[in-house]
Amino acid sequence: MKKFFIVLFVFATGIIRAQTEPITTANDGKSWTLETKSSIYQIGSSDQGVVGMYYFGNKSQDPTKLRYPLGEEVTVRGGYSATTPMLEIVFKDRVRDVELTYVGSEIQTVDGYKTLVIHQKDKFYPLSVTEYIRVLPEYDLLEKWMEVKNTGKKDMIEIENAQSGTFFLPQNAYELTHLAGIWGYEYQPNVTKLTQGVKTFQVKDFRSFGSSFFAVRPEGEQMETCGEVWFGSLQYSGNWRMDLEKYPRGELQVTGGINFWDQSLMLKPGKSFTTPKMIIGYTCRGMEGVSQNLASYTREKILYPSHRSKVRPVLYNSWYATTFDVNEEHQLALAKIAKELGVEIFVIDDGWFKGRINDKGGLGDWTVDKNKFPNGLQPMIDKINAMGLDFGIWIEPEMVNPNSDLYRTHPDWVFHYPNRTRHEGRNQLMLNLAREDVYQYLYDSFSKLLRENNIKFIKWDMNKSLTDPGFPSAPSDEQRAVRIKYVENLYRLLETLRAEFPDVWFENCASGGGRVDLGMMARTDFSWASDNTDPVERTFIQYAFLNAFPSNSMISWVTHEDWHKQNHPLEFKFDVSMCGVLGVGYDITKWTDKEKAVAREKIARYKEIRETVHNGDLYRLVSPYENNRSVLQFVNKAKTEAVVFVYNLAEYPDNAILQTKRSKLIKLRGLQPEVSYKVEGIDGTYKGAQLMDIGIQFPVRGAFKSGIFKIVKQ
């Protein structure tokens, strides 16, 4: 691990610390303390101009005791090259070594939060590096990003790697929790010891079915409610990577950003490149502190501003009822019943556009199929609106079928290499959104669709992984930057449409949860967590999803799916879906009166509790990964109301196994100890202290049985 030759004493020179200031500067003017609710982050520059990172952790640390940096604040390829580099550069004369020196700093205000800006430059070449660290004290979070600029006048600089941020932890035994998966089994929690070497999890094809979320803990400390955790994520939707390098003496370095595998950027004179943001945090409240901080941050600072605080609507989507065989008569029949059940937005899925009779054709031709809707969509939308429903529609902008007018006219608009196979997935290819003409075509198509029709909801899908990322017509110095340009234009397209149509909800989908990240969440309102809607499977997927994201960002449908032939009750399916954004995907024209009555009751119930569920703090009381049931509790900010979801996944004879020998009492959390609460469905009132310290037994028995219990302050 790279060490400094100069012993630094910057924090002994006197830091002016104040609880009200998230960033304080030492008397020497080049050492800083960044402070959140629970943590401090220490940085200082030596007399030789080397900017070092000293500490990140519990704020009880005395900064005057810090003597040695753990590593450089911006690690580079150069010198000893023993750390994971954030920055790798090739200059015109093929020198690949970077030597940065401190230039200056300032404290700015970025969107209401104090931000430390540190300027460095190469000692010889025309390269400047500016690091930004934005402090969000109430969320125990820092946002890190970096700007790299070519300050020369004639030669290009090649960026082979530019990560968003890094930090170091001192010698200890550490373990990592991260979320990974495949289609249908997204966000599976993986726990691994971090031994000497590098642990990398990454995306190379634009889809992960997991997350860049990470949580690092001292080895063996897996308590939900207590213990130190360093955690974070990336605000990026393309190829990303997280690297955790454990050094021989036990120190740990965590680095994250764009995955520059098979990528490089040629930086022209006077031009700059800014990385996406990396979010890092520290808590001593275990995974409960992690999930609550990330959920609050995402709800209040990340989700698209215009809809951030709006009540999430109840959705109906017609896909399972009709698949591609859509027509006005059938859609109106579905909409009529949906309204009677209490649905608020009716969404028509795939199959509405020209040539779309199956998944083998039509994708890319974004005009209404006149064979299915001879009068267009708006007459049908008018009838749906007259029922009291808003209308939504499915689109997949980034893809094209070879069997489409678009592809026949513009075969060069897809990613491809000359003399190489064009690899299809689901009978489709990926449009090269790095091209300006492709961007303009997509903008024109969907702005026209939204202008001509009263559409209030867009389901934005992406059903193919990236292959063949060639852009033969681009200048040679831009061809290996195609993935980065693609994501820039994807964001640009979403942002432009949202600005032009501010009342429209946007759902993010990618064959299920293939692209759920803070980058997409910043431009959409919620995400489709998985194509797997089996309620037992969803119990696990959703429990893990809620590690990293809030419940109001997670769409969950009630459907017919039963992956293990367990014949789940409809009530159980609704209860599982109600801890997120509720949707219905059945063919409801085939429901019995009894099934409709269940749906009406559950949807009405959901509307009573969704404010607390979507905006309250989550307490994960019982994990399905460790028990034969799952229990989730949401508590509103005022602590006057809580909602508890109880899901039984199996039932065993009493005293037959360890789980059935344990107490049936569930200890709640997050209530006011001296306040009396009424537990719905259970006689009497209970002090908050009793509910939290002693617990309560919820009356739910039997496999695939469930209950939702509202707890209200008296």
Side-chain angles (χ1 to χ4, degrees):
M1 181 175 173
K2 185 170 181 178
K3 295 292 185 183
F4 290 87
F5 289 101
I6 304 298
V7 178
L8 303 183
F9 296 90
V10 294
F11 298 109
T13 62
I15 290 181
I16 307 166
R17 296 190 62 189
Q19 287 294 109
T20 57
E21 289 299 323
I23 303 174
T24 53
T25 305
N27 292 337
D28 64 0
K30 54 181 183 178
S31 309
W32 307 270
T33 300
L34 288 67
E35 187 170 341
T36 73
K37 183 173 55 179
S38 304
S39 72
I40 57 173
Y41 188 99
Q42 303 273 12
I43 311 171
S45 176
S46 72
D47 291 338
Q48 290 71 35
V50 179
V51 181
M53 182 251 163
Y54 282 74
Y55 177 80
F56 180 34
N58 194 295
K59 69 189 302 179
S60 61
Q61 172 65 261
D62 182 355
T64 66
K65 304 298 185 184
L66 300 171
R67 292 292 187 268
Y68 303 98
L70 294 169
E72 293 182 3
E73 179 60 24
V74 176
T75 53
V76 299
R77 179 175 63 192
Y80 288 93
S81 296
T83 55
T84 298
M86 283 178 61
L87 185 62
E88 297 176 85
I89 296 291
V90 181
F91 297 103
K92 178 68 174 178
D93 58 5
R94 310 315 295 167
V95 168
R96 302 189 307 279
D97 190 276
V98 175
E99 287 190 54
L100 295 180
T101 186
Y102 175 73
V103 174
S105 68
E106 70 255 16
I107 297 173
Q108 300 178 358
T109 299
V110 177
D111 293 334
Y113 287 90
K114 295 297 183 181
T115 304
L116 177 62
V117 184
I118 300 175
H119 302 283
Q120 300 184 71
K121 69 176 182 178
D122 189 85
K123 290 183 176 180
F124 178 80
Y125 293 97
L127 173 73
S128 72
V129 176
T130 302
E131 184 188 27
Y132 298 82
I133 309 177
R134 183 174 179 239
V135 185
L136 296 96
E138 67 269 40
Y139 305 107
D140 273 331
L141 291 174
L142 306 175
E143 293 175 342
K144 285 187 154 200
W145 69 98
M146 180 174 67
E147 181 185 37
V148 182
K149 185 174 183 179
N150 181 348
T151 58
K153 297 186 183 301
K154 60 176 182 176
D155 296 326
M156 288 194 290
I157 293 173
E158 183 177 5
I159 300 176
E160 292 189 326
N161 180 32
Q163 297 297 286
S164 299
T166 194
F167 67 90
F168 293 84
L169 298 179
Q171 176 183 352
N172 204 346
Y174 295 103
E175 61 187 33
L176 164 71
T177 300
H178 68 107
L179 306 177
I182 58 174
W183 176 86
Y185 298 96
E186 291 89 338
Y187 321 114
Q188 299 304 305
N190 291 263
V191 179
T192 182
K193 294 181 180 179
L194 294 171
T195 57
Q196 185 175 341
V198 181
K199 167 69 176 180
T200 298
F201 54 103
Q202 62 184 331
V203 173
K204 292 183 176 181
D205 64 0
F206 281 1
R207 299 199 301 177
S208 71
F209 298 100
S211 172
S212 58
F213 165 83
F214 67 89
V216 173
R217 309 186 71 166
E219 190 175 310
E221 295 187 11
Q222 282 294 314
M223 293 291 289
E224 173 75 11
T225 59
C226 62
E228 291 191 300
V229 191
W230 292 264
F231 62 96
S233 188
L234 294 168
Q235 285 190 32
Y236 194 61
S237 312
N239 287 349
W240 52 261
R241 66 182 295 147
M242 294 297 310
D243 295 297
L244 296 95
E245 183 163 10
K246 188 74 181 297
Y247 293 103
R249 289 187 173 88
E251 304 98 329
L252 179 68
Q253 180 187 2
V254 181
T255 308
I258 292 175
N259 188 351
F260 270 80
W261 169 79
D262 192 37
Q263 296 196 90
S264 68
L265 284 167
M266 300 303 296
L267 208 55
K268 296 177 180 179
K271 298 297 183 181
S272 63
F273 172 71
T274 301
T275 70
K277 292 178 180 177
M278 179 184 183
I279 296 89
I280 63 173
Y282 167 85
T283 182
C284 55
R285 297 196 300 117
M287 290 302 291
E288 183 170 283
V290 172
S291 62
Q292 289 183 4
N293 285 335
L294 285 177
S296 294
Y297 167 73
T298 304
R299 268 196 310 264
E300 296 164 17
K301 300 299 176 184
I302 294 296
L303 291 173
Y304 195 74
S306 65
H307 288 61
R308 196 176 281 166
S309 60
K310 289 187 176 181
V311 174
R312 269 46 187 162
V314 181
L315 310 170
Y316 178 81
N317 185 293
S318 65
W319 171 249
Y320 284 112
T322 63
T323 63
F324 299 102
D325 186 18
V326 297
N327 60 68
E328 181 172 325
E329 181 182 1
H330 195 183
Q331 297 297 308
L332 290 174
L334 290 164
K336 182 176 183 296
I337 298 171
K339 175 59 181 175
E340 293 169 355
L341 300 178
V343 166
E344 293 160 317
I345 294 184
F346 180 88
V347 182
I348 183 172
D349 208 275
D350 200 350
W352 59 269
F353 49 93
K354 180 182 176 182
R356 193 64 165 174
I357 58 173
N358 53 40
D359 64 8
K360 295 180 173 59
L363 200 61
D365 298 338
W366 297 110
T367 56
V368 178
D369 190 329
K370 295 297 185 180
N371 293 318
K372 298 179 179 180
F373 300 97
N375 300 312
L377 291 175
Q378 189 56 47
M380 179 184 69
I381 295 172
D382 288 339
K383 295 172 185 175
I384 290 172
N385 292 160
M387 297 177 191
L389 292 166
D390 283 336
F391 178 79
I393 203 163
W394 176 96
I395 60 175
E396 191 174 4
E398 300 160 72
M399 304 297 163
V400 63
N401 287 128
N403 181 21
S404 67
D405 290 345
L406 178 65
Y407 184 80
R408 284 185 284 269
T409 304
H410 298 289
D412 56 326
W413 279 15
V414 300
F415 279 128
H416 69 283
Y417 290 114
N419 310 311
R420 289 292 179 261
T421 302
R422 300 186 181 194
H423 294 89
E424 296 181 20
R426 200 175 180 246
N427 306 299
Q428 59 196 49
L429 296 167
M430 183 176 286
L431 288 169
N432 180 0
L433 192 47
R435 296 178 61 114
E436 185 62 22
D437 46 11
V438 171
Y439 170 87
Q440 288 297 333
Y441 171 78
L442 294 177
Y443 167 73
D444 291 343
S445 297
F446 296 113
S447 60
K448 183 174 186 289
L449 177 70
L450 290 168
R451 275 195 306 272
E452 293 180 352
N453 300 281
N454 188 25
I455 294 170
K456 297 299 184 186
F457 180 99
I458 289 289
K459 183 180 177 74
W460 186 298
D461 210 343
M462 176 209 190
N463 282 308
K464 181 184 179 297
S465 299
L466 172 65
T467 58
D468 324 311
F471 189 175
S473 62
S476 59
D477 59 6
E478 298 178 12
Q479 291 194 7
R480 295 190 68 197
V482 63
R483 298 176 182 89
I484 293 171
K485 183 64 175 178
Y486 180 104
V487 176
E488 290 174 354
N489 273 347
L490 170 65
Y491 287 169
R492 176 185 163 207
L493 180 59
L494 279 162
E495 290 163 3
T496 302
L497 290 172
R498 297 225 62 170
E500 190 171 340
F501 304 98
D503 296 332
V504 179
W505 295 90
F506 277 70
E507 175 190 347
N508 166 42
C509 178
S511 295
R515 189 173 61 183
V516 176
D517 56 74
L518 296 179
M520 288 301 287
M521 285 194 176
R523 295 157 178 89
T524 58
D525 304 300
F526 19 56
S527 295
W528 180 234
S530 179
D531 282 348
N532 185 345
T533 55
D534 177 289
V536 172
E537 298 275 6
R538 268 291 186 137
T539 301
F540 288 85
I541 291 169
Q542 294 176 179
Y543 186 92
F545 181 100
L546 294 171
N547 271 296
F549 306 109
S551 60
N552 73 334
S553 71
M554 179 181 73
I555 289 184
S556 185
W557 290 0
V558 179
T559 77
H560 66 282
E561 299 229 330
D562 183 357
W563 286 31
H564 304 287
K565 310 303 180 187
Q566 294 170 322
N567 194 27
H568 314 107
L570 185 59
E571 293 87 346
F572 180 73
K573 295 180 179 185
F574 265 99
D575 287 351
V576 169
S577 295
M578 286 164 64
C579 75
V581 178
L582 178 61
V584 179
Y586 266 94
D587 183 351
I588 51 180
T589 62
K590 297 179 180 178
W591 268 0
T592 65
D593 288 344
K594 182 179 179 181
E595 289 170 323
K596 291 176 184 177
V598 169
R600 275 193 294 271
E601 179 185 345
K602 290 294 183 181
I603 290 172
R605 174 69 160 163
Y606 169 76
K607 291 176 181 178
E608 292 175 5
I609 64 174
R610 62 181 164 186
E611 175 64 29
T612 295
V613 172
H614 290 167
N615 296 306
D617 289 326
L618 169 64
Y619 298 86
R620 300 182 308 171
L621 305 181
V622 179
S623 168
Y625 290 93
E626 300 171 358
N627 299 272
N628 63 351
R629 60 178 173 168
S630 177
V631 182
L632 302 174
Q633 177 193 2
F634 295 88
V635 182
N636 69 1
K637 298 297 184 182
K639 300 184 183 297
T640 58
E641 180 177 292
V643 178
V644 176
F645 294 83
V646 180
Y647 307 123
N648 278 7
L649 305 179
E651 185 82 5
Y652 299 105
D654 287 344
N655 298 313
I657 60 173
L658 179 60
Q659 290 177 10
T660 59
K661 293 177 183 179
R662 290 174 175 158
S663 171
K664 304 296 191 297
L665 298 176
I666 300 294
K667 295 181 180 180
L668 306 186
R669 297 203 288 272
L671 304 177
Q672 299 177 74
E674 299 306 317
V675 168
S676 294
Y677 291 91
K678 170 66 179 172
V679 182
E680 193 176 58
I682 298 176
D683 292 337
T685 60
Y686 300 82
K687 290 289 187 183
Q690 181 180 355
L691 292 171
M692 293 189 290
D693 298 337
I694 305 301
I696 190 168
Q697 182 172 347
F698 291 101
V700 179
R701 297 296 300 268
F704 314 129
K705 300 297 183 182
S706 56
I708 300 174
F709 301 88
K710 187 191 291 187
I711 300 168
V712 180
K713 176 182 175 180
Q714 298 301 290

